Amino acid sequence: MRITTTVDGTSYTDDVEPRMLLVQYLREKLGKVGTVVGCDTSNCGACTVHMDGQSVKSCSVLAVQADGREITTIEGLSADGQLHPVQQAFHDSHALQCGFCTPGMIMQAVDLLKENPDPDEEEIRAGLEGNLCRCTGYQNIVRAVRAAADKMQPSAAPEAETSREPVGASMPSEVAQS
Amino acid sequence: MTAVAEPEVGRARLRKEDARLITGRTRWTDNLSLPGMLHLAFLRSPVAHARISKIDTSAAKQKPGVIAVVTGADVAEEQGSLPCAWPITEDIKIPNAPSLAVDEVNFAGEAVAAVVARSAAEAVDALEAIDVEYDELPVVLDMNEALAEGADLVHPELGTNKCATWVFDSAEAGSGGAIDDAIAQADVVLERTFRQQRLIPSFMEPRSVLVDPTGEQITVWSATQIPHILKWMISAVTGVPETKVRVIAPDVGGGFGGKLQVTPEEIITFLMARRLGRPVKWTETRSESMQSAHHGRDQIQKITLAAASDGTLKGLKVELLADMGAYLRLVTPGVPILGAFMFNAIYKMDAYRFECTNVFTNKTPTDAYRGAGRPEATFAIERMMDELAAELGRDPIDLRRQNWIKHEEFPFTTVAGLTYDSGNYEAATAKALELFGYDALRQEQRERRERGDTVQLGIGVSTYTEMCGLAPSRVLGALRYAAGGWEHASIRMLPTGKVEVITGTSPHGQGHETAWSQIVADRLGVPFEDVEVLHGDTAASHKGMDSYGSRSLAVGGTALVMAADRVIEKAKKLAAHMLECSEDDIEFSGGKLTVRGTDKATDIQSVALHAHVAHDLPEGMEASLDSEATFDPENFSYPHGTHLCAVEVDTETGQVKIRSYVCVDDVGTVVNPLIVEGQVHGGVAQGIAQALFEDAVHDESGTLTTGTFADYLLPSAADLPSFVTDRTETPATTNPLGAKGVGEAGTIAATPAVVNAIVDAVRHLGVDDIEMPCTPMRVWRAVHSGTRAEGGPGGEAGGGLGSIDASGGAQ
């Protein structure tokens, strides 16, 4: 089947097998390997991307369902050399160790903050329930999402995905010791 | 650029690694593609024990895109036997371990055939066309039954299901008295049996391997913790000279011991790439990973603790059964032995005996999982200390304080024969009690009990130590481990003044690039940003023993310090020549080389350039400041700490909620507190997960019924609390950094803290144990029957997230 989809701002037209998953399309056809596969049962959320601005697990979406849609992956979040505030916060809060869950976790966190720009800890934890991390115990991820929320306010939710900061300029190399 | 103003060691540096990981620009093994690359998929046995009476691959070979289909028989000549590097006793039974089963399968999930095709989808499609007939054999699952007279055998050719029995006895070792005397003379003798359930490491990145045979060296990219050991073992198993193998571990998405392995999949992918002369890649699915990558824990622990009526410990007897699964993988039989020296923990006692019997079953092989042997030991002793406190009507902290090694008694040689170099259990415990608000929580507990609250409060204590920094090579040798425990580092001083550091450690989330940069920046007085850390590629890092056992900093970091000191030695010699003075007059500090008592000086970058251009070197000096070092530790390192957990147990539903979790860890001198704190968080999360959620369950036919993330319950953010973490710092005296290791500490400490808290919450209802994982069902049963037996083995998996239907029941 022929699909046309916009991924990270570029339009692609491809013939795909009907059974091809969106994540396979991204990785195998487009080389967008920043989005990864962590399980086969849509439990881990490592493959989370945005479809028309909503987070989806790209292992649970067929490529053909993305026809005519706009997809944003982790690789598109930091376009033009600008880190998204959530990416920045993950770095600043040491919210990643091995980093495998990180692309999905960041994409989910961006979606979470769009839905709820001022979440408390419990709401953050509930909002990330579908994304598994084995390294961090989630504590610094929760901290990062809260820090990003602070940073992104009072910018309105829909601007979340376009509110960016220059890479490096705001990359402190150290945090105050706890 | 010259010296940095403040010491790098101890700074909470943000990680260098993050930039590529937060933007999706990194290289996981499965992200790599090569020209002409083929894809491999495995057919796995659906049954746990059977003879393969027939395999027909002819239809599969006709499927679209298929290049090759092989069975065990097709590769029998080449595949050798997968290595077991730890034959713990002279009479250990080691079954042949083919990568592809030849005529018999011994666990469900064992690979029986492989397809290589043009695409991954075509390879998987073709698996369905392979016709295998299995003649099923009796399945051996229960360890006690496996050891009984006349039991069915996993490997009939071995004549027994008993793999090995390993004993430590303090009377025989001369490190203490006889356990039978201690028990005979004790006022109180407590006996308990604990089950360490089977766990699945569950690294987030599925395993993947890509082999490129098109160069003079066959290049293997693998999601592994151990590129150096893998290179050696590929050569040993396949007979390909080691010089013809290059292994690269690119970014690796977690390991937790689960990627400390030489896998059947790596060997078969290697053989097929070599046979076909084209790059071949294999990437597993999650369910494949859970079925066939090694599992962890799985012990039955019979523990006897003897004490005087005043609470003084007299002796400890440990009788273990450890489930090996169907084969001995790289360090399978040695994992319980890593716990053998740790059951006595931080306590003084007269006598200690440890006996472990390793048992074969028709299950996935077990091997290292975060803590490997030490969580089991810590769980047993910390549970027993709470039981003894209850028996004697003592406060559990008070009882521990009475028996632990006092800070002024270090170095202290334990009843297990280890010498703990340093520690301060009093300080860590005092800090933890204060952060926790221990007295107030005890008060609330009393009040809830008095008013018969349906939600009861429990407080759990775990004052742990562990042995890590694996390891002194001579000790490993004495324990019959086949390799050494040293680590290697080298430093390249580049002409531009930048520094490349090559380490034999192989990080997979630990942040070595950042921490190693800090160490070198400090030592050489160069900017943090000027240091680049290279690792994981045997062509660049030719020598190493890789990362596991919380060894990287204590051993690999020390090698780095030694290499840096050698760079400075060379730089001093050259600087003396450049500044026309005696070498003895050169002072080195913060990257500057100064002639003592003058303002004549140069810096390490200038000296590096001078060495590199080599126009004017002192007589006999090589044109290089580059240096390397190999460090072999004289002792293990011994992190310790106090973890306190408060839980609320709903006696009407059995639901457990962690109300607060406080840990004060002493991991020695800290290079990067941010990274250390992250390691503690993750470690504690995995320890809690064993206590509350995770359980690899097999049904009566040996099928893993928790073979996906829908069934095997990793905790999500919603299942865990925030932890309060703090530290005390008692430097290790056995390495110049003073570092002890932090990778496993949290996991080792947390599990008994949580279970002790749950039991403490409902002890007044007649409960003195609940088997892990402490699911709502198990807790409810224990509360409502008031006996431990009813809380005992059950088939239900996990808990927390609404749980799932009870399944299986083989246990």
Side-chain angles (χ1 to χ4, degrees):
Chain A
M1 291 181 72
R2 172 153 297 204
I3 62 167
T4 297
T5 182
T6 302
V7 179
D8 296 336
T10 303
S11 177
Y12 299 88
T13 299
D14 276 299
D15 287 320
V16 298
E17 278 191 70
R19 66 175 178 172
M20 180 173 254
L21 302 174
L22 176 56
V23 69
Q24 292 169 328
Y25 177 69
L26 294 171
R27 290 180 59 82
E28 295 167 19
K29 285 267 189 187
L30 304 187
K32 290 267 176 192
V33 292
T35 302
V36 296
V37 181
C39 72
D40 349 300
T41 48
S42 71
N43 288 91
C44 82
C47 64
T48 303
V49 300
H50 293 177
M51 187 155 76
D52 291 343
Q54 293 264 323
S55 76
V56 294
K57 291 178 176 176
S58 61
C59 72
S60 304
V61 176
L62 293 168
V64 293
Q65 290 175 287
D67 186 28
R69 307 291 196 102
E70 189 166 335
I71 306 295
T72 306
T73 78
I74 188 73
E75 295 174 59
L77 200 60
S78 58
D80 311 324
Q82 308 276 310
L83 282 184
H84 186 282
V86 174
Q87 290 174 307
Q88 184 68 49
F90 268 60
H91 175 63
D92 294 345
S93 302
H94 184 38
L96 61 149
Q97 291 179 29
C98 84
F100 195 78
C101 77
T102 306
M105 199 66 84
I106 287 175
M107 297 310 284
Q108 181 59 25
V110 170
D111 188 69
L112 187 165
L113 291 175
K114 201 171 101 180
E115 301 280 322
N116 179 0
D118 187 26
D120 63 20
E121 178 178 339
E122 205 174 323
E123 289 168 332
I124 293 171
R125 288 182 179 274
L128 298 176
E129 196 177 11
N131 290 66
L132 296 174
C133 168
R134 191 61 157 167
C135 293
T136 65
Y138 303 101
Q139 186 147 332
N140 286 343
I141 292 176
V142 173
R143 199 157 67 91
V145 175
R146 190 51 247 179
D150 291 339
K151 204 97 173 249
M152 286 159 72
Q153 293 201 14
S155 71
E159 271 78 65
E161 222 151 286
T162 53
S163 157
R164 296 195 172 107
E165 298 188 5
V167 179
S170 62
M171 289 266 276
S173 66
E174 190 176 3
V175 294
Q177 189 173 333
S178 53
Chain B
M1 294 292 289
T2 54
V4 286
E6 56 176 301
E8 281 289 340
V9 169
R11 282 176 84 166
R13 278 282 190 189
L14 293 178
R15 297 198 321 168
K16 291 183 165 186
E17 293 86 344
D18 291 356
R20 62 182 188 266
L21 297 168
I22 57 176
T23 51
R25 289 192 284 106
T26 200
R27 280 162 301 147
W28 312 110
T29 301
D30 189 50
N31 286 3
L32 302 171
S33 287
L34 294 174
M37 185 175 81
L38 302 171
H39 297 262
L40 191 147
F42 285 99
L43 183 70
R44 297 183 182 278
S45 172
V47 297
H49 199 195
R51 262 187 215 96
I52 300 170
S53 54
K54 187 189 110 182
I55 302 192
D56 183 355
T57 60
S58 54
K61 284 174 177 161
Q62 302 308 314
K63 298 284 278 185
V66 170
I67 304 292
V69 183
V70 291
T71 66
D74 297 328
V75 293
E77 297 297 306
E78 300 166 71
Q79 69 176 343
S81 183
L82 290 164
C84 172
W86 204 340
I88 54 169
T89 61
E90 239 168 82
D91 61 353
I92 187 173
K93 301 277 196 293
I94 302 182
N96 187 47
S99 290
L100 277 186
V102 178
D103 44 26
E104 191 174 301
V105 289
N106 287 295
F107 69 96
E110 186 170 357
V112 297
V115 172
V116 180
R118 290 175 59 195
S119 73
E122 287 168 324
V124 172
D125 286 345
L127 294 179
E128 289 172 17
I130 301 174
D131 185 19
V132 188
E133 283 178 14
Y134 297 98
D135 287 343
E136 293 200 40
L137 296 166
V139 174
V140 180
L141 297 172
D142 180 89
M143 284 192 278
N144 281 306
E145 287 172 17
L147 294 175
E149 191 79 23
D152 295 318
L153 297 178
V154 178
H155 300 285
E157 70 278 12
L158 300 179
T160 174
N161 290 319
K162 192 166 97 175
C163 163
T165 297
W166 194 94
V167 178
F168 175 87
D169 188 295
S170 61
E172 288 167 22
S175 56
I179 187 64
D180 290 344
D181 295 347
I183 289 173
Q185 290 157 15
D187 302 318
V188 184
V189 177
L190 288 183
E191 195 185 295
R192 292 282 188 278
T193 299
F194 301 120
R195 175 175 166 255
Q196 292 285 329
Q197 79 270 36
R198 185 174 268 252
L199 300 175
I200 302 180
S202 305
F203 34 77
M204 289 310 298
E205 180 208 15
R207 297 173 304 159
S208 180
V209 55
L210 166 61
V211 180
D212 179 8
T214 61
E216 194 52 41
Q217 284 188 319
I218 302 178
T219 303
V220 179
W221 287 265
S222 185
T224 180
Q225 291 174 234
I226 52 162
H228 297 92
I229 296 173
L230 180 59
K231 180 186 178 198
W232 177 9
M233 289 298 123
I234 285 175
S235 172
V237 170
T238 65
V240 174
E242 199 184 340
T243 47
K244 297 296 184 190
V245 181
R246 172 184 178 191
V247 176
I248 302 172
D251 270 327
V252 174
F256 315 111
K259 290 174 179 169
L260 165 47
Q261 196 54 270
V262 176
T263 68
E265 294 85 1
E266 285 164 333
I267 298 298
I268 295 301
T269 307
F270 183 90
L271 292 178
M272 291 311 294
R274 191 175 63 153
R275 187 180 279 198
L276 297 168
R278 290 173 67 176
V280 176
K281 181 163 80 176
W282 167 78
T283 300
E284 70 185 349
T285 65
R286 177 58 59 181
S287 45
E288 262 188 300
S289 186
M290 300 192 85
Q291 271 199 320
S292 63
H294 73 246
H295 295 172
R297 312 281 195 274
D298 208 342
Q299 293 182 358
I300 296 169
Q301 309 174 300
K302 186 176 161 198
I303 313 289
T304 309
L305 183 64
S309 55
D310 73 350
T312 306
L313 298 186
K314 294 297 177 188
L316 178 66
K317 186 158 99 176
V318 175
E319 296 159 276
L320 298 186
L321 296 181
D323 193 339
M324 302 289 98
Y327 297 102
L328 302 183
R329 297 295 194 227
L330 195 62
V331 298
T332 301
V335 168
I337 311 311
L338 284 171
F341 306 95
M342 279 290 118
F343 280 85
N344 54 299
I346 64 171
Y347 307 114
K348 294 179 279 191
M349 61 184 74
D350 302 332
Y352 172 57
R353 182 180 167 86
F354 170 97
E355 182 176 325
C356 179
T357 298
N358 289 349
V359 185
F360 291 113
T361 62
N362 290 113
K363 285 182 250 172
T364 306
T366 57
D367 205 308
Y369 169 55
R370 201 169 193 171
R374 292 149 290 160
E376 297 93 312
T378 303
F379 180 87
I381 185 64
E382 289 304 297
R383 283 285 299 113
M384 290 306 281
M385 291 304 282
D386 262 33
E387 292 306 300
L388 181 62
E391 179 77 17
L392 298 174
R394 295 278 300 278
D395 176 86
I397 304 263
D398 189 40
L399 181 72
R400 285 168 168 83
R401 191 179 283 126
Q402 177 184 348
N403 285 287
W404 72 39
I405 301 158
K406 309 283 184 290
H407 71 274
E408 66 270 17
E409 293 178 290
F410 289 93
F412 185 90
T413 299
T414 73
V415 74
L418 291 178
T419 300
Y420 296 174
D421 62 322
S422 70
N424 191 332
Y425 310 139
E426 298 95 321
T429 302
K431 202 169 194 176
L433 289 172
E434 191 188 330
L435 289 167
F436 190 64
Y438 186 77
D439 294 336
L441 283 165
R442 281 284 180 217
Q443 176 64 29
E444 182 185 334
Q445 179 182 44
R446 277 193 296 275
E447 287 165 10
R448 285 188 189 236
R449 284 194 185 177
E450 280 161 16
R451 68 170 184 261
D453 200 326
T454 57
V455 177
Q456 288 291 319
L457 184 69
I459 295 168
V461 183
S462 173
T463 50
Y464 77 100
T465 189
E466 60 130 339
M467 51 183 262
C468 66
L470 306 179
S473 297
R474 66 182 166 79
V475 176
L476 293 178
L479 293 172
R480 302 178 54 84
Y481 183 60
W486 47 263
E487 195 46 84
H488 180 263
S490 55
I491 295 176
R492 298 176 185 154
M493 300 301 293
L494 305 182
T496 53
K498 309 285 186 192
V499 182
E500 284 178 347
V501 168
I502 300 99
T503 177
T505 65
S506 195
H508 37 284
Q510 296 90 337
H512 294 178
E513 292 167 33
T514 302
W516 280 208
S517 296
Q518 290 178 264
I519 292 169
V520 171
D522 244 8
R523 215 71 190 181
L524 296 182
V526 299
F528 170 77
E529 296 76 14
D530 285 0
V531 183
E532 195 70 33
V533 179
L534 311 178
H535 58 79
D537 178 349
T538 61
S541 165
H542 71 286
K543 195 169 153 77
M545 288 304 296
D546 308 317
S547 288
Y548 43 84
S550 306
R551 70 188 305 272
S552 296
L553 181 59
V555 189
T558 301
L560 195 50
V561 168
M562 290 166 61
D565 288 349
R566 288 175 187 172
V567 170
I568 295 166
E569 283 308 302
K570 292 183 185 179
K572 278 183 172 175
K573 191 181 175 81
L574 183 49
H577 181 72
M578 290 160 67
L579 300 169
E580 298 175 328
C581 69
S582 156
E583 198 181 325
D584 296 338
D585 289 335
I586 295 287
E587 286 178 336
F588 179 82
S589 173
K592 278 228 178 318
L593 297 112
T594 310
V595 183
R596 196 185 315 272
T598 74
D599 56 2
K600 280 174 66 180
T602 183
D603 55 38
I604 189 111
Q605 291 90 345
S606 305
V607 179
L609 178 62
H610 205 90
H612 190 84
V613 299
H615 297 163
D616 178 21
L617 299 179
E619 189 65 30
M621 185 176 181
E622 291 180 13
S624 176
L625 298 186
D626 297 357
S627 297
E628 62 179 322
T630 303
F631 175 65
D632 199 336
E634 66 186 61
N635 193 354
F636 298 94
S637 58
Y638 303 95
H640 70 82
T642 296
H643 287 221
L644 299 171
C645 178
V647 298
E648 291 176 357
V649 176
D650 187 327
T651 56
E652 292 181 326
T653 64
Q655 190 74 39
V656 173
K657 182 182 169 221
I658 295 180
R659 160 104 159 252
S660 68
Y661 195 100
V662 169
C663 51
V664 175
D665 295 284
D666 194 323
V667 298
T669 305
V670 164
V671 173
N672 185 320
L674 196 66
I675 289 175
V676 164
E677 194 184 47
Q679 286 285 326
V680 171
H681 291 163
V684 168
Q686 286 184 25
I688 290 173
Q690 176 174 10
L692 295 180
F693 304 118
E694 296 180 24
D695 194 0
V697 178
H698 293 79
D699 69 12
E700 62 282 356
S701 67
T703 300
L704 180 69
T705 59
T706 53
T708 71
F709 279 168
D711 311 295
Y712 185 85
L713 297 181
L714 297 192
S716 77
D719 299 313
L720 292 172
S722 278
F723 317 117
V724 176
T725 62
D726 208 333
R727 291 194 316 275
T728 54
E729 278 197 16
T730 315
T733 63
T734 50
N735 67 67
L737 287 165
K740 294 180 178 176
V742 69
E744 297 159 295
T747 304
I748 289 166
T751 311
V754 176
V755 177
N756 277 341
I758 296 169
V759 173
D760 184 58
V762 294
R763 189 181 290 279
H764 64 293
L765 302 173
V767 178
D768 68 3
D769 194 30
I770 299 172
E771 190 175 293
M772 296 187 291
C774 298
T775 59
M777 190 186 295
R778 284 192 176 133
V779 174
W780 187 89
R781 271 198 212 138
V783 166
H784 287 264
S785 66
T787 64
R788 71 181 303 273
E790 291 301 312
E796 79 272 25
L801 284 171
S803 202
I804 56 164
D805 292 337
S807 54
Q811 297 284 349

